């Protein structure tokens, strides 16, 4: 089994970044097993899970990518990753979507995410979108979370409702399947 690394690339967004990084990785014999990318305002962030060929080590890959991506205005980081756990050994969870809508305020994301940490709810994806010009001070934060199967959903809902009341924001939680069905309507 070949070693797997996570290659993170940061830089100012523009067309072609994924093409440039993927081409460099392919040229070194690296296979992209998984990837995600996002743009926050004008900043690009991409994470590529890559299987390395026997001839390439993670330190050498970082050195090479740093040299090759610097002229493009991109900064890489390479981290070794553990092989994924077998399906039967994973914690049983249920996927939910939490939506927070309200006035933007210091500490809002910290309050919500720290409460999730306390309840051992794992955040698998998060996106916070500032309001439009008409609602400049409002923010919508969407969190995809995995709730442990042995965690009482009522406790999670009550904790999030308490934060919503304290912060004067609307907080909803729905099973991911229901959320996706509603979004399709």
């Amino acid at each position: 089994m070949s070693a797997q690394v996570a290659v993170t690339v940061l830089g100012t967004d523009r067309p072609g970044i994924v093409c440039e990084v993927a081409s460099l990785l392919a040229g070194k014999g690296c296979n992209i097993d998984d990837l995600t990318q996002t743009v926050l305002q004008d900043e690009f962030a991409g994470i590529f899970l890559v299987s390395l060929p026997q001839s390439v080590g993670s330190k050498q890959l970082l050195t090479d990518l740093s040299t090759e991506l610097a002229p493009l205005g991109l900064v890489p980081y390479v981290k070794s990753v553990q092989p994924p756990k077998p399906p039967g050994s994973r914690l049983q969870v249920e996927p939910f979507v939490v939506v927070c809508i309200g006035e933007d305020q210091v500490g809002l994301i910290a309050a919500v995410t720290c409460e999730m940490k306390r309840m051992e709810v794992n955040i698998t994806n998060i996106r916070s979108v500032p309001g439009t010009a008409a609602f400049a001070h409002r923010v919508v934060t969407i969190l995809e979370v995995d709730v442990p199967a042995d965690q009482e959903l009522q406790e999670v809902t009550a904790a999030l409702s308490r934060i919503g009341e304290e912060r004067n924001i609307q907080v909803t939680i729905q099973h991911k399947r229901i959320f996706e069905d509603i979004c399709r309507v």
Side-chain angles (χ1 to χ4, degrees):
M1 173 183 265
S2 60
Q4 193 176 49
V5 295
V7 177
T8 302
V9 177
L10 303 172
T12 303
D13 188 43
R14 60 179 165 71
I17 293 176
V18 173
C19 167
E20 293 162 349
V21 175
S23 295
L24 287 172
L25 292 169
K28 298 175 186 321
C30 300
N31 186 56
I32 298 172
D33 301 326
D34 199 356
L35 73 96
T36 186
Q37 71 117 78
T38 192
V39 175
L40 301 175
Q41 298 178 10
D42 290 332
E43 292 302 312
F44 170 91
I47 303 173
F48 304 73
L49 282 182
V50 175
S51 290
L52 300 176
Q54 295 284 339
S55 60
V56 177
S58 62
K59 289 182 181 177
Q60 185 61 50
L61 181 63
L62 176 60
T63 300
D64 291 351
L65 289 177
S66 295
T67 301
E68 294 162 339
L69 292 175
L72 304 174
L74 301 171
V75 178
Y77 175 76
V78 176
K79 175 190 175 292
S80 296
V81 297
Q82 299 296 318
K85 295 176 184 172
S89 65
R90 295 182 185 155
L91 181 66
Q92 296 296 315
V93 297
E94 286 288 326
F96 286 85
V97 176
V98 176
V99 179
C100 305
I101 302 173
E103 295 293 317
D104 193 13
Q105 53 192 275
V106 173
L108 175 61
I109 292 175
V112 173
T113 58
C114 288
E115 191 62 32
M116 296 204 179
K117 176 185 175 188
R118 183 187 70 76
M119 295 181 290
E120 298 188 5
V121 172
N122 189 41
I123 300 167
T124 58
N125 195 7
I126 183 170
R127 178 71 195 226
S128 189
V129 182
T132 61
F135 302 101
H137 299 291
R138 297 185 66 82
V139 65
V140 177
T141 303
I142 302 172
L143 304 100
E144 293 180 39
V145 300
D146 285 340
V147 177
D150 61 351
Q151 174 70 46
E152 290 291 331
L153 184 58
Q154 290 177 334
E155 180 185 348
V156 175
T157 301
L160 294 174
S161 294
R162 181 181 44 77
I163 290 174
E165 290 172 11
E166 291 171 358
R167 297 261 179 183
N168 195 27
I169 60 170
Q170 178 186 355
V171 181
T172 60
I173 182 169
Q174 292 178 313
H175 196 279
K176 187 174 181 178
R177 190 174 53 246
I178 295 170
F179 181 84
E180 290 172 344
D181 286 347
I182 290 171
C183 290
R184 281 191 203 108
V185 173

